[in-house]
Amino acid sequence: MPDETAAAQKVLEIADEVKADMVVAAGTEIDRGISLACDTLAQAGKQVFRDKFEVAEHAPQAGLGLSRAEFGVGETGSVCVDTYSYEARVVGMLPPAHIVLLDRNALVENVTTAFQVMSRVFQKGYLGFITGPSRTADIERVLSLGVHGPSRFFIVVIGAEGGSIHG
């Protein structure tokens, strides 16, 4: 997406696609893109929870989680998310669909560079890499989606034409 306004519209399109009427979001107090997307969702009639206590309460019933990626890794197609706060963890784990916003300028080439960035920038907390929807085949080797997290995962890239990756 070329800018945050277009990204907010894309988030609304995805919310409609996954039929999410309730959305939980992390980082709205510090992230203009997340806040704008939440405003757009609310104006479209979606129930949006941003307060950390409301997010914690409603995440199990929400149809969509919304958060920001710290950076993306080109080599693997993964995003790195900072899940230091409880609400940042649950928006990406409990709803059946998760959207992360990613700034085009926050892409690194490979995993080696990702770990170099992490060692210089992040001092505490929880970091995680997301490469796609939750999948497991540990029960009788049958592939299941969404057992340990969302079954749908979307990356909305801001500062790029086209700007979304579906999973």
Side-chain angles (χ1 to χ4, degrees):
M1 302 289 98
D3 57 33
E4 290 174 335
T5 302
Q9 281 302 127
K10 187 63 173 181
V11 168
L12 176 59
E13 287 176 27
I14 294 169
D16 287 341
E17 177 185 325
V18 300
K19 297 175 178 37
D21 292 323
M22 183 188 299
V23 180
V24 288
T28 58
E29 65 283 348
I30 58 171
D31 190 302
R32 183 179 177 275
I34 298 282
S35 186
L36 183 59
C38 287
D39 291 344
T40 301
L41 290 163
Q43 289 168 0
K46 308 288 184 192
Q47 208 176 4
V48 181
F49 297 98
R50 311 172 193 213
D51 172 78
K52 65 182 180 180
F53 298 108
E54 291 181 341
V55 168
E57 179 182 347
H58 296 285
Q61 297 84 29
L64 178 66
L66 177 61
S67 63
R68 170 72 73 167
E70 298 300 315
F71 60 87
V73 184
E75 178 180 57
T76 61
S78 304
V79 293
C80 178
V81 292
D82 181 352
T83 55
Y84 183 68
S85 69
Y86 177 77
E87 65 274 12
R89 287 192 296 277
V90 298
V91 300
M93 289 294 295
L94 297 180
H98 180 209
I99 299 173
V100 295
L101 302 184
L102 173 65
D103 188 328
R104 183 187 181 287
N105 296 322
L107 292 171
V108 298
E109 183 178 345
N110 54 43
V111 173
T112 301
T113 305
F115 280 102
Q116 290 169 349
V117 168
M118 289 167 41
S119 69
R120 287 190 305 248
V121 177
F122 297 99
Q123 303 302 314
K124 63 178 182 172
Y126 303 100
L127 292 176
F129 288 95
I130 304 171
T131 305
S134 165
R135 55 183 54 226
T136 186
D138 61 354
I139 301 171
E140 297 183 15
R141 292 189 237 162
V142 175
L143 181 63
S144 299
L145 296 177
V147 174
H148 304 293
S151 58
R152 301 286 307 271
F153 178 64
F154 304 86
I155 303 169
V156 176
V157 181
I158 300 172
E161 293 300 320
S164 75
I165 302 167
H166 295 256

